[in-house]
Amino acid sequence: MADQPTAAERFIQGILPENPVYRQLLGLCPTLAVTNGLKAAITMSAAVLFVLFCANVIVSLIRNLLKPHLRIVIFTLTIATFVTFADRFLAAYVYQMSKVLGPYIPLIIVNCLIICRCEVCASKQGVVTAGADAIGQSLGFCLALCSIAAVRELLGTGMLFDIRVLPVVWPDWVIMVLPPGAFLTFGLLLGLVNWYSDRRAAAAGGK
Amino acid sequence: MKPIQQMEPLSPTAFERLRNNNIIQAWLVLILTLCFGSSLAGIQMTLGPKIEENKLNETLEKIPELILGAEGAQKLTESGEKLDVIPRSFVVDKPGKKAVYNVYEAFDKDKKRLGWVVKTGGQGYADRIELLLGVDPEVKTVSGIFVLEQKETPGLGNKITFEEWRGQFKGKNTETPMGVVKGGKAGAGDINAITGATISSRAVTDIVNMAVADLKGPLTANAEGGK
């Protein structure tokens, strides 16, 4: 276990160095689908945080009982349970939001980010590390979703959090809130992140 | 020849056979399923009524606006009064099938009937569209529509939910079915299509026309009989 990252390392790694969206390219379905508004992006991230945290903790608690050929079944079972919790909870308390997110909350079940964290971290490390990992990864996910959503909402509707920011003369680029806008924004931001980290690496190597 | 275990040439003992049994191996899965299943049932029992209530509330909240218009609804809220709403259901015989409509009947405080709100729906461009349709007591004019549920294209078809578009239905005569006209040249009895979303516009208009045609008879009959 000595070579496994500690809780703090897991937490930090999730946010930027191993950002789930920009670095691991995981969980892209919600990344593209629910980022046409910041509110939706944040609700989605909160749901992912809840599901990932609970799933990681449960899997970490039972990690010594797992049988290799049955582990995926157990991951899926755990994830599905907490996703249903989140879905029902949103429908009961934030009904409007749950209508906006539609099928994408139930679809967290098949979000590969969560199963990846269960497999890579929670099924091998202790509860504290697994919890820290879940929070770090979810924050990274939230950051990625919000960055894409901010660009799309601003350019597509001239609003941020449903409040008009750009002057009314701004011609709303409808394409940005449509699916193609998601791909364009994501591609450009991903390119930007890669370009920036390449430059940083080059600068560090030059010294 | 019977397959034998490679590691143990001797016949497995009862204990080992039990240990290799598929069901026994899956004990953790089974126990987790039980725990999760019961907790899900618990969540559903706690939150289920609340979710149903949310859905109903959304309908009930919109009724004053659909009957009285936005200003009328505002006045009503300011005066602290409430409409009496009676949920009813109408079955309409159509060729080959029966259509069931949930209709909300709205009265003011003097028991005067103010109008009807019909919950209806139909196929849109992407998925089913669920609508609330408000009509006056005699089903002569439409007093407003509201889109409860839709998954039309964001930026184009989802404009059916905007007040500026659905406001067109307000005051439309129900004598003849409404048509959909492109290019903003709609006449008195027609609806302007949303640019780039003619199918969504037509779908909503068709749903409204269909509900009016189906319910005009039963509702008027009921209104007269009720007096």
Side-chain angles (χ1 to χ4, degrees):
Chain A
M1 286 275 175
D3 55 339
Q4 295 274 22
T6 63
E9 280 168 7
R10 283 285 194 204
F11 177 76
I12 298 293
Q13 273 181 354
I15 299 180
L16 279 179
E18 275 182 26
N19 186 291
V21 173
Y22 287 125
R23 279 272 163 257
Q24 305 177 55
L25 299 183
L26 287 177
L28 294 186
C29 164
T31 305
L32 297 172
V34 302
T35 51
N36 48 14
L38 270 170
K39 278 185 183 167
I42 287 179
T43 317
M44 184 72 192
S45 309
V48 167
L49 170 67
F50 167 75
V51 174
L52 183 53
F53 185 77
C54 295
N56 256 9
V57 167
I58 296 272
V59 168
S60 177
L61 284 173
I62 58 171
R63 68 185 187 282
N64 295 326
L65 302 171
L66 289 177
K67 293 207 166 47
H69 59 292
L70 289 175
R71 69 185 195 287
I72 300 286
V73 178
I74 288 177
F75 295 166
T76 318
L77 201 64
T78 318
I79 296 165
T81 308
F82 289 110
V83 168
T84 315
F85 280 3
D87 182 43
R88 297 284 85 188
F89 184 84
L90 287 179
Y93 295 103
V94 231
Y95 184 62
Q96 287 307 323
M97 208 34 158
S98 107
K99 270 177 63 179
V100 171
L101 291 173
Y104 294 105
I105 291 292
L107 277 176
I108 298 177
I109 296 175
V110 290
N111 189 327
C112 31
L113 167 64
I114 295 169
I115 225 165
C116 163
R117 294 333 292 177
C118 288
E119 171 80 20
V120 171
C121 176
S123 62
K124 297 190 176 69
Q125 293 187 281
V127 177
V128 178
T129 319
D133 179 69
I135 296 175
Q137 293 285 337
S138 307
L139 286 179
F141 187 70
C142 179
L143 199 70
L145 251 63
C146 290
S147 59
I148 299 174
V151 173
R152 290 182 66 193
E153 195 180 357
L154 190 68
L155 298 182
T157 61
M159 298 191 281
L160 285 177
F161 290 106
D162 293 344
I163 299 161
R164 188 91 201 177
V165 191
L166 293 181
V168 186
V169 290
W170 172 258
D172 299 343
W173 295 357
V174 172
I175 187 141
M176 296 307 283
V177 287
L178 294 177
F183 285 95
L184 287 173
T185 315
F186 177 56
L188 291 173
L189 285 178
L190 184 61
L192 197 71
V193 168
N194 278 345
W195 172 77
Y196 181 71
S197 49
D198 275 359
R199 228 179 56 144
R200 282 254 310 245
K207 269 174 195 171
Chain B
M1 221 175 109
K2 265 181 137 182
I4 48 166
Q5 282 188 318
Q6 282 185 336
M7 297 300 289
E8 290 167 349
L10 295 171
S11 72
T13 63
F15 175 71
E16 273 161 345
R17 253 183 292 140
L18 201 63
R19 228 180 63 168
N20 291 332
N21 181 300
N22 284 336
I23 303 288
I24 302 295
Q25 284 199 2
W27 69 271
L28 186 61
V29 179
L30 295 175
I31 288 177
L32 283 179
T33 317
L34 275 178
C35 298
F36 289 157
S38 44
S39 57
L40 283 178
I43 280 277
Q44 179 60 33
M45 274 163 67
T46 344
L47 296 181
K50 178 115 179 98
I51 297 169
E52 286 307 310
E53 200 187 306
N54 282 344
K55 285 186 185 161
L56 187 65
N57 271 345
E58 192 182 24
T59 309
L60 293 181
E61 259 170 35
K62 287 295 159 198
I63 286 176
E65 195 192 320
L66 287 175
I67 301 278
L68 305 167
E71 286 168 23
Q74 185 78 26
K75 270 186 206 154
L76 191 79
T77 335
E78 279 166 11
S79 64
E81 284 171 27
K82 269 187 175 173
L83 295 181
D84 270 340
V85 175
I86 302 170
R88 320 178 54 148
S89 121
F90 285 87
V91 182
V92 181
D93 279 312
K94 294 212 278 189
K97 61 170 181 172
K98 277 187 174 170
V100 183
Y101 285 95
N102 285 324
V103 180
Y104 301 88
E105 198 175 1
F107 296 94
D108 68 2
K109 60 178 195 302
D110 308 321
K111 300 276 165 223
K112 191 174 144 251
R113 185 184 280 110
L114 294 175
W116 311 85
V117 170
V118 182
K119 194 170 179 190
T120 178
Q123 182 62 38
Y125 177 63
D127 201 347
R128 238 183 109 75
I129 299 175
E130 296 283 341
L131 290 179
L132 288 179
L133 163 70
V135 288
D136 69 350
E138 289 81 36
V139 203
K140 280 196 178 125
T141 50
V142 174
S143 53
I145 69 163
F146 181 77
V147 180
L148 284 176
E149 232 164 278
Q150 56 87 22
K151 294 191 177 66
E152 303 303 285
T153 323
L156 297 170
N158 75 347
K159 285 186 185 159
I160 57 170
T161 60
F162 292 6
E163 170 64 35
E164 41 202 277
W165 188 77
R166 61 183 170 86
Q168 290 185 76
F169 284 90
K170 199 176 169 184
K172 284 276 186 288
N173 201 312
T174 60
E175 210 59 48
T176 48
M178 284 161 257
V180 177
V181 180
K182 283 197 221 182
K185 291 190 264 316
D190 293 324
I191 299 294
N192 278 318
I194 300 163
T195 316
T198 317
I199 297 178
S200 302
S201 317
R202 194 163 284 149
V204 173
T205 314
D206 286 349
I207 295 168
V208 170
N209 284 337
M210 169 82 86
V212 167
D214 282 354
L215 285 171
K216 196 161 189 172
L219 289 186
T220 5
N222 196 284
E224 277 157 12
K227 266 173 194 168

